[in-house]
Amino acid sequence: MAETENLITVKDLTKTYQTGSVEVFALKAISLTINKGEFVAIMGASGSGKSTFMNIVGCLDNPTNGEYLMEGKDVLTRDKDELAELRNSKLGFVFQSFNLLPRTSAQENVELPLLYNNKVEASVRKQKAIEALTSVGLADRLGAMPNELSGGQQQRVAIARALVNAPLIIMADEPTGNLDSKTSYEIMGIFQKLNDEGITVVMVTHEPDIAQFAKSNIVFKDGKIIANHAVKDRKIAMEELKKIANLTDENSTT
Amino acid sequence: MKFFNLFRIAYRSLNRNKLRSFLTMLGIIIGVASVIAMLAIGEGSNQTIQKSIASLGTNSIYIFPGTNANGGVRGGAGSNQTLKLEDADAIAAHCDLVKYVTPLVQRKSQIIFGAKNWNTMIIGIRNDYMLIRSLSITKGSGFSEADQRSAAKVCLVGVTVIFNLFGDENYNPIGQIIRINSIPVKIVGVLAKMGQNTFGQDQDDIVLAPFYTVQKRMMISTDHIGSILASGKSELQVVDAVDQITSLLREKHKIAPSDDIDFTVRTQSELSNIFGSITKVMTILLASIAGISLLVGGIGIMNIMLVSVTERTREIGIRMAIGAKGKDVLFQFVIESILISVVGGIIGIVVGVLAAEMVATFGGWPVVITPLSIILSFGFSSAIGLFFGWYPARKAAALNPIDALRYE
């Protein structure tokens, strides 16, 4: 069991960028293990290397040096196509700017990863997309175009798209960066629910209150991990939302 | 990757950008339509030119008797009487490259109708003559086989003759009896007006009669004939037909290979050459117009696809992040551009055919739509879609996922 619990293991992960003659270190020998069922919030100021780390773990970018194992298997030796398959089947991405395809209905956006997955039959594609959208509470907006949806709804579509191939990990890069706090809490609620169902969540954020919804926090500074601790007083989204609801009720009565 | 999925992805993507897809398609539509219309109009003109050149008699072959040399003094062409009726019959029977053949006898005669008379050329012909010269009859009818066999006293007359004998070109002389060399001959038909030939000779000043009628009733000698007129199966085979006729007559006239022949065979080879070069110029002109318009359409596709790769870099990044492989993106773009060019090609064919029909209906210009032009332009437009879609597609596929995602 111990081995399967080690979902992601990175060792001495280094990333450098060449700007002119100067070599800039984005990541300096990062070593980290993320277990199955974790909910990790990665924090840090901009330029601290947290997004670079996220992109490498998400197989979107390659490190300059280091080792990366997923489920005990080497990732970095794989070629571009194998990485694409890995992203398709094991990873789900949620971005700050939602990154939905414009002029494409919610359902079609969610179907997209299934179209790139050979194992999914055409007959179940629609059904899977509807299931994923239902699980994020958008069963009634299947045919809506992104520009007809609010920011929170767009992010839910993006989460549904990340979910639809039943991934091991959801990688979220500032998922609440463009959302108000109430909607942010709703999104966190969805992540917490998914995490309870066994999906590992890795989330980058610079908002401390959002990080409080995770199980553990990792703090980056200048390309290094300066803190890695479990979250005390973890916030539960459903409770926070109730508090907000009570507040507005009180306001309206007074 | 399932092909159908890629097809669906490409279709959705085109459907999302209807205006852009349509504008790209417009390039191909115009290209294919203009190719088809051009080729139809060109082919129509070509066939019209072919017909009018053929009516000039480019495939006609004239066989004259040879020259007569008497004590070192040589007469001109046809001064010797060496051709006989059986020569014409032998050509008809043995030369398979010859389509029509007729013996000719002719003489200048005075013709009389009532108080008027006129001197004109009387030509004795077989019915093939009408076909070789592309002559048509406006009033009455031609000679029957019975007329030919029985040396019937009938004739066909040209309009100049009618004008001079009856005072009016449009007079209907069918059934009137004219006298040729005091032989009464009935007019059975009027030849369509031909006007002057290239040398200013009035081709309507003519009377045609069945061969035997002229040979037996009007000529002094009945042994020999004036000349033979034949036509080759096609313009291209005229030269070979001439060789066939020459060797046949050489054999019949028992001329040793070392001796000069006692007859002359002539063709209108200059006309054939002109005809050949006109066709060539026409073909080159049409092919270059066709090529240029399709090329422009193809460059239009490449232009839009290139712009669209840049414009959709972020979309490509999203697709790659959720699992699209490089080749998925490549095929998506290639299929998009092939779809555009194939659909554009089909619409272009319809528009082109309609345009050609409109030219035919309203412009009165002859058009001929050949299946080849449709296959050619359609095949070419699909090929262009593939060719010009490939480069932008390669560019899209080579993008790094993270760079594409970060693209603003």
Side-chain angles (χ1 to χ4, degrees):
Chain A
M1 278 306 283
E3 266 196 7
T4 52
E5 276 185 359
N6 267 0
L7 192 56
I8 287 171
T9 310
V10 295
K11 222 178 258 175
D12 296 333
L13 212 58
T14 304
K15 178 79 181 176
T16 58
Y17 292 108
Q18 199 78 28
T19 49
S21 56
V22 190
E23 212 177 7
V24 180
F25 279 84
L27 291 178
K28 293 175 188 163
I30 299 285
S31 295
L32 183 68
T33 303
I34 295 172
N35 292 330
K36 206 168 179 190
E38 283 257 31
F39 187 160
V40 187
I42 299 174
M43 308 203 31
S46 60
S48 60
K50 60 184 193 299
S51 284
T52 307
F53 176 74
M54 175 90 161
N55 290 332
I56 291 171
V57 173
C59 302
L60 291 170
D61 204 357
N62 291 318
T64 316
N65 260 315
E67 253 182 59
Y68 174 13
L69 306 177
M70 186 186 287
E71 294 185 298
K73 286 177 216 140
D74 196 2
V75 170
L76 299 177
T77 53
R78 302 186 189 189
D79 67 21
K80 270 183 142 188
D81 284 358
E82 286 170 328
L83 289 178
E85 259 172 50
L86 195 71
R87 286 197 296 270
N88 185 257
S89 56
K90 303 254 162 110
L91 303 173
F93 289 91
V94 177
F95 301 94
Q96 178 177 1
S97 50
F98 322 133
N99 276 347
L100 300 177
L101 290 191
R103 293 186 292 278
T104 306
S105 72
Q107 189 194 321
E108 285 184 9
N109 258 300
V110 176
E111 278 181 18
L112 209 56
L114 300 174
L115 283 171
Y116 289 111
N117 188 345
N118 281 344
K119 288 168 198 133
V120 179
E121 293 299 320
S123 49
V124 299
R125 198 159 52 216
K126 191 178 168 190
Q127 188 202 336
K128 281 195 166 202
I130 293 172
E131 273 171 23
L133 280 164
T134 308
S135 75
V136 296
L138 283 177
D140 54 338
R141 302 305 309 268
L142 299 177
M145 298 292 162
N147 59 354
E148 296 163 2
L149 296 170
S150 69
Q153 287 174 323
Q154 287 188 53
Q155 195 61 298
R156 285 162 191 245
V157 175
I159 294 171
R161 185 178 65 186
L163 279 178
V164 75
N165 259 335
L168 291 173
I169 314 167
I170 285 189
M171 322 275 308
D173 191 355
E174 304 267 12
T176 59
N178 287 355
L179 302 174
D180 63 63
S181 50
K182 180 172 175 267
T183 317
S184 298
Y185 291 171
E186 285 168 4
I187 298 296
M188 284 304 113
I190 295 171
F191 280 151
Q192 283 186 335
K193 191 184 100 194
L194 294 173
N195 185 237
D196 291 343
E197 288 164 8
I199 296 174
T200 311
V201 179
V202 180
M203 175 177 73
V204 165
T205 183
H206 64 272
E207 295 164 83
D209 66 320
I210 293 298
Q212 288 296 305
F213 289 95
K215 285 178 181 163
S216 65
N217 286 358
I218 296 171
V219 184
F220 272 70
K221 195 183 179 190
D222 297 334
K224 282 184 192 160
I225 295 172
I226 55 165
N228 185 354
H229 54 77
V231 174
K232 295 171 211 156
D233 310 324
R234 189 186 180 207
K235 283 187 186 173
I236 304 300
M238 298 318 286
E239 289 167 13
E240 298 299 316
L241 283 168
K242 264 181 209 158
K243 279 186 206 164
I244 295 174
N246 290 340
L247 274 176
T248 40
D249 281 352
E250 277 164 32
N251 285 347
S252 56
T253 47
T254 50
Chain B
M1 192 71 212
K2 287 175 191 162
F3 176 77
F4 186 75
N5 284 0
L6 282 170
F7 190 84
R8 178 182 288 259
I9 289 167
Y11 172 75
R12 280 183 182 174
S13 169
L14 287 177
N15 205 29
R16 245 193 349 259
N17 297 292
K18 285 194 186 72
L19 183 66
R20 193 187 61 201
S21 310
F22 173 73
L23 287 176
T24 318
M25 219 178 263
L26 202 60
I28 287 293
I29 292 174
I30 292 172
V32 170
S34 64
V35 167
I36 288 185
M38 284 290 168
L39 288 180
I41 293 167
E43 188 61 31
S45 330
N46 215 352
Q47 289 195 4
T48 312
I49 292 172
Q50 263 187 49
K51 250 185 232 159
S52 44
I53 288 182
S55 76
L56 289 175
T58 42
N59 58 356
S60 303
I61 301 164
Y62 302 89
I63 303 142
F64 299 103
T67 56
N68 183 17
N70 206 341
V73 181
R74 297 170 74 205
S79 57
N80 201 359
Q81 294 205 314
T82 53
L83 290 179
K84 293 184 172 173
L85 185 56
E86 61 196 60
D87 290 335
D89 292 337
I91 291 170
H94 300 297
C95 296
D96 57 354
L97 293 176
V98 171
K99 199 169 180 189
Y100 301 117
V101 62
T102 175
L104 297 178
V105 280
Q106 57 189 57
R107 63 170 296 176
K108 276 267 189 185
S109 290
Q110 208 69 22
I111 56 175
I112 303 159
F113 177 77
K116 293 188 175 172
N117 69 87
W118 181 248
N119 188 281
T120 188
M121 185 66 84
I122 318 292
I123 307 176
I125 58 156
R126 289 242 172 101
N127 289 345
D128 274 3
Y129 184 82
M130 309 297 285
L131 300 166
I132 298 170
R133 296 286 313 274
S134 312
L135 297 181
S136 54
I137 293 162
T138 48
K139 295 176 190 135
S141 60
F143 308 131
S144 66
E145 285 305 315
D147 291 338
Q148 291 285 358
R149 274 196 307 275
S150 62
K153 292 182 220 169
V154 291
C155 71
L156 299 168
V157 291
V159 287
T160 307
V161 176
I162 297 173
F163 176 75
N164 285 295
L165 289 185
F166 303 97
D168 179 10
E169 267 190 16
N170 297 320
Y171 180 79
N172 187 349
I174 307 295
Q176 301 287 2
I177 310 284
I178 56 173
R179 300 175 77 83
I180 304 173
N181 288 353
S182 13
I183 302 163
V185 178
K186 190 166 92 175
I187 298 176
V188 293
V190 177
L191 295 168
K193 189 169 182 159
M194 287 179 287
Q196 296 175 345
N197 70 6
T198 35
F199 310 107
Q201 207 176 0
D202 183 0
Q203 298 182 88
D204 298 315
D205 190 5
I206 192 175
V207 172
L208 299 180
F211 177 75
Y212 286 132
T213 311
V214 178
Q215 196 199 31
K216 289 183 175 160
R217 297 183 194 275
M218 301 176 192
M219 305 298 281
I220 302 149
S221 155
T222 54
D223 275 354
H224 295 94
I225 58 176
S227 59
I228 298 170
L229 179 61
S231 70
K233 283 248 162 69
S234 74
E235 277 86 359
L236 300 172
Q237 286 171 314
V238 165
V239 175
D240 294 331
V242 167
D243 289 346
Q244 256 187 358
I245 293 169
T246 309
S247 61
L248 178 81
L249 292 187
R250 219 176 229 285
E251 203 181 303
K252 273 197 77 74
H253 293 189
K254 300 191 173 62
I255 299 164
S258 55
D259 290 348
D260 288 340
I261 50 173
D262 61 352
F263 56 91
T264 314
V265 184
R266 294 212 195 110
T267 60
Q268 301 202 359
S269 53
E270 299 86 10
L271 273 178
S272 301
N273 291 345
I274 291 169
F275 165 72
S277 55
I278 288 175
T279 315
K280 208 167 158 189
V281 166
M282 208 75 180
T283 312
I284 292 170
L285 181 76
L286 290 171
S288 44
I289 291 172
I292 288 168
S293 34
L294 279 177
L295 194 70
V296 169
I299 290 171
I301 286 194
M302 176 146 94
N303 193 5
I304 298 284
M305 294 310 280
L306 268 177
V307 170
S308 123
V309 165
T310 319
E311 183 196 283
R312 290 157 69 189
T313 303
R314 212 181 158 80
E315 178 197 322
I316 294 164
I318 298 171
R319 288 181 185 279
M320 285 178 155
I322 61 170
K325 295 168 191 156
K327 61 172 185 278
D328 295 338
V329 175
L330 175 80
F331 284 133
Q332 179 191 338
F333 276 77
V334 168
I335 291 172
E336 276 184 32
S337 77
I338 288 180
L339 269 180
I340 285 178
S341 49
V342 166
V343 175
I346 291 170
I347 298 174
I349 288 171
V350 174
V351 173
V353 169
L354 286 180
E357 292 300 332
M358 270 167 72
V359 167
T361 316
F362 298 113
W365 192 273
V367 298
V368 176
I369 297 161
T370 55
L372 181 75
S373 71
I374 290 176
I375 294 165
L376 184 90
S377 53
F378 185 72
F380 207 68
S381 73
S382 316
I384 268 180
L386 184 63
F387 182 78
F388 285 108
W390 187 258
Y391 172 69
R394 275 284 306 280
K395 224 184 134 197
L399 284 170
N400 218 1
I402 190 66
D403 295 336
L405 261 181
R406 281 198 189 130
Y407 186 87
E408 291 299 331

